[in-house]
Amino acid sequence: MNDVTPKRVGVLGAGQLALMLAEAAKTLGIAVVCAGQRGDCAERVAEVVVVDLDDPIQVAAFAGRADVVTIESENIHASVLTGLNLAPNAHAIGIAQDRLLEKRFFEQCGIGCAPFLPVDSAEDLQSAAKLLGLPAILKTRRMGYDGKGQIRLQSSEGLPTAFAELGGVPCILEGMVRFDAEVSLIAARGRAGEIVFYPLIENVHRDGILRRSTVPFAGATDALQQQGEAYLRRILEELDYVGVLAVEFFVVGGKLLANEMAPRVHNSGHWTIEGAKTSQFENHLRAILGMELGSTESVPTVMLNCIGEMPSEQETSATPGLHRHDYGKAGRPGRKVGHLTLAAGEGEAIGQWYARLNPEDQG
Ligand code: AMP
């Protein structure tokens, strides 16, 4: 198929995902141009054009400079995406940016998820809590990330104020899942419909922020991997999706319950840079450019996020085999500023680094 391979990729956004896409593009001889702001971290490796991502005219003008446009965040207003040569397509992004549409879509695909109800008012919340029971989680339908836009409701005490606390915007109430583990599955689908899958990834979150991703998932079985692959295949085919897709799941009693999907490269796939034959970033570029997808063959690997501050090079260089990815962002509490990757066999070093990066978890 694709006889003409476009060579210039436009990325809407210029944060760390755009940065790592641009790094992967370099080795493929592909130019990446990002739409963002001065000082965004992708500036170190790619051209960044100052674009107001809420302005359809500016976005369309930016898109005209690229052969194909992709995203690094799903939180982009749907109105700016129409009419672009976009991969993944705007319909897929529109579903992934709205938790209610996303959950209904999972159900339509026959993919189990936590029980949920739409909440559009404080009264809705009272009745939804009665129906679903507590504890439950109230989540804004849009613009939630890294645990933002969520309130955990342990008892009815917080019910009267929770809706207003989230800004009175459309929400969903979700039943609390008592999961055995959290995992994600990442796949890439090419323009001819071919699909490659990475192995299930085990994820540890705290305060809604990913802290650690491990491959392979300790509880992985062939059956679980196959269930995940069957689910992602349904999603990808139903959406005629092109590019990398990540779906986060809860593992409950040996089964997968979908939590959410990201229509883009994903934090839980950063380990693929060192741990897989072809990284998620390279496979995303290959997919959207109509190139052959690369092997996802992987070795056991652990990725640790650096939240708030980046350990110095001096400190990280003391651990042999540690790969340090510094996004060059200013440190700020709760902000992802970099990540470290290690071979999973380095158990002791991983434990020490996890403790160093997550002091609140200790004791
Ligand atoms: P989310 O932004 O939906 O991915 O939520 C962030 C994190 O909150 C998840 O990774 C889980 O650790 C936790 N969480 C979200 N929804 C639920 C749920 N329905 N039940 C239990 N934990 C949840």
Side-chain angles (χ1 to χ4, degrees), residues 113-331:
C113 52
F116 63 94
L117 285 167
V119 169
D120 291 318
S121 65
E123 295 72 41
D124 280 359
L125 178 57
Q126 294 284 357
S127 43
K130 272 207 188 90
L131 283 165
L132 292 183
L134 295 177
I137 308 188
L138 184 67
K139 299 180 177 179
T140 59
R141 280 175 58 176
R142 293 175 168 275
M143 304 301 279
Y145 68 98
D146 287 350
K148 294 188 174 64
Q150 299 191 5
I151 294 182
R152 282 169 188 246
L153 295 161
Q154 300 295 346
S155 68
S156 55
E157 205 178 306
L159 275 182
T161 52
F163 183 71
E165 272 174 56
L166 287 182
V169 295
C171 289
I172 60 168
L173 186 69
E174 233 182 78
M176 191 77 86
V177 177
R178 285 181 213 289
F179 52 79
D180 304 317
E182 288 191 84
V183 298
S184 52
L185 187 62
I186 297 179
R189 182 171 184 266
R191 290 199 179 265
E194 72 281 22
I195 301 174
V196 293
F197 297 96
Y198 290 92
L200 280 170
I201 305 154
E202 180 168 11
N203 299 318
V204 174
H205 295 84
R206 191 168 40 74
D207 303 331
I209 305 179
L210 181 68
R211 306 285 159 163
R212 169 180 168 145
S213 292
T214 306
V215 162
F217 162 44
T221 59
D222 287 349
L224 209 59
Q225 179 77 26
Q226 278 161 18
Q227 188 186 27
E229 291 188 8
Y231 285 169
L232 264 77
R233 182 176 293 279
R234 266 180 238 168
I235 295 171
L236 292 165
E237 289 177 351
E238 182 65 30
L239 296 173
D240 194 15
Y241 191 100
V242 172
V244 160
L245 172 81
V247 181
E248 294 184 70
F249 294 99
F250 301 120
V251 181
V252 186
K255 293 247 169 358
L256 297 174
L257 282 187
N259 177 27
E260 61 180 357
M261 65 182 190
R264 53 173 168 78
V265 288
H266 192 252
N267 192 174
S268 69
H270 292 358
W271 63 271
T272 59
I273 296 174
E274 289 87 14
K277 271 202 175 151
T278 316
S279 75
Q280 62 164 349
F281 302 99
E282 179 175 340
N283 262 336
H284 184 64
L285 294 167
R286 288 181 165 280
I288 66 175
L289 290 170
M291 297 163 73
E292 188 183 338
L293 300 180
S295 164
T296 54
E297 203 180 311
S298 304
V299 294
T301 308
V302 171
M303 190 272 331
L304 302 174
N305 264 340
C306 304
I307 313 288
E309 56 130 6
M310 192 68 206
S312 70
E313 270 168 334
Q314 202 185 358
E315 197 183 350
T316 53
S317 65
T319 303
L322 179 148
H323 299 272
R324 177 180 191 272
H325 295 259
D326 182 353
Y327 308 151
K329 290 160 69 169

Side-chain angles (χ1 to χ4, degrees), residues 18-28 32 44-45 273 285 325-326:
L19 170 94
M20 288 181 269
L21 279 169
E23 282 171 345
K26 273 207 168 142
T27 61
L28 296 175
V32 163
R44 288 158 53 210
V45 287
I273 296 174
L285 294 167
H325 295 259
D326 182 353

